[in-house]
Amino acid sequence: TAYMLSVNRAILVTRLSAKQWVAIAGFFVSAWAFFCWLFNFLYEDPQFLIWDTSIVSASFIAQILMTRKKVECWYFWTIPVNISAILLYWRASVPAFSFLYSVFLINAIFGWKQWRKSAGVGTREGVIFGKFFPFHNGHLSVINRALTECEKVFVVVCANEG
């Protein structure tokens, strides 16, 4: 009997489903409302309340998505966090923070490109059992095919004792 074993233990980079997008949108609006209330409670007459809390809420969502390795985290880091923060800090006459968020924006763009490429690609290991005697091109073809599906393939050669 021959078995093919495929192992995947890493958290894969994946994408949100339509249902997850709806949940994230609802969570974003709820977080935004909460942070508006909190900042209004904590600070006396906060400047740019709606704008600032939208950045905080988007950062919160982006961080959650990042820990779950969702490609869409980079959408949140790019537009509602970094670009918005660049504009906010420029408007508030704090150019050093605008520059800092410009660096973060570059990082987010590179992260987005990298994660987009690796979405759905996992670390997989395969095992092939066989006698492989005499070894021929058909065996090599099976091994090469397994290598297209897995990052690492173990070939176990079974032999008859005697």
Side-chain angles (χ1 to χ4, degrees), residues 27-40:
F27 191 61
F28 175 77
V29 170
S30 299
W32 195 359
F34 171 75
F35 286 120
C36 278
W37 170 82
L38 182 64
F39 281 36
N40 203 33

Side-chain angles (χ1 to χ4, degrees), residues 1-3 129 158:
T1 307
Y3 297 94
F129 291 88
C158 303

Side-chain angles (χ1 to χ4, degrees), residues 7-14 68-69 121-124 151:
V7 179
N8 185 354
R9 295 179 189 199
I11 299 173
L12 300 176
V13 175
T14 58
R68 305 253 182 228
K69 284 196 162 182
V121 176
T123 303
R124 296 188 306 173
E151 286 185 10

Side-chain angles (χ1 to χ4, degrees), residues 59-78:
S59 296
F60 191 68
I61 299 295
Q63 189 63 49
I64 291 169
L65 293 176
M66 185 177 243
T67 61
R68 305 253 182 228
K69 284 196 162 182
K70 297 293 185 183
V71 172
E72 292 80 4
C73 76
W74 298 108
Y75 301 152
F76 282 90
W77 285 127
T78 302

Side-chain angles (χ1 to χ4, degrees), residues 18-148:
K19 189 176 179 180
Q20 290 170 322
W21 263 112
V22 170
I24 289 296
F27 191 61
F28 175 77
V29 170
S30 299
W32 195 359
F34 171 75
F35 286 120
C36 278
W37 170 82
L38 182 64
F39 281 36
N40 203 33
F41 178 76
L42 294 174
Y43 304 107
E44 196 173 309
D45 194 29
Q47 227 182 358
F48 308 113
L49 176 69
I50 303 297
W51 196 354
D52 197 18
T53 54
S54 72
I55 295 170
V56 171
S57 302
S59 296
F60 191 68
I61 299 295
Q63 189 63 49
I64 291 169
L65 293 176
M66 185 177 243
T67 61
R68 305 253 182 228
K69 284 196 162 182
K70 297 293 185 183
V71 172
E72 292 80 4
C73 76
W74 298 108
Y75 301 152
F76 282 90
W77 285 127
T78 302
I79 298 168
V81 175
N82 295 324
I83 291 174
S84 188
I86 291 166
L87 297 173
L88 173 63
Y89 285 122
W90 192 263
R91 172 79 168 79
S93 299
V94 188
F97 279 110
S98 285
F99 174 75
L100 177 64
Y101 276 90
S102 297
V103 172
F104 292 161
L105 176 61
I106 292 166
N107 180 61
I109 291 168
F110 280 108
W112 173 69
K113 286 182 177 182
Q114 196 66 29
W115 280 31
R116 191 181 65 174
K117 285 180 193 174
S118 66
V121 176
T123 303
R124 296 188 306 173
E125 297 176 346
V127 177
I128 301 173
F129 291 88
K131 62 181 185 171
F132 297 97
F133 184 80
F135 190 82
H136 53 78
N137 285 338
H139 296 124
L140 186 59
S141 177
V142 169
I143 294 168
N144 284 331
R145 173 68 179 144
L147 284 168
T148 65

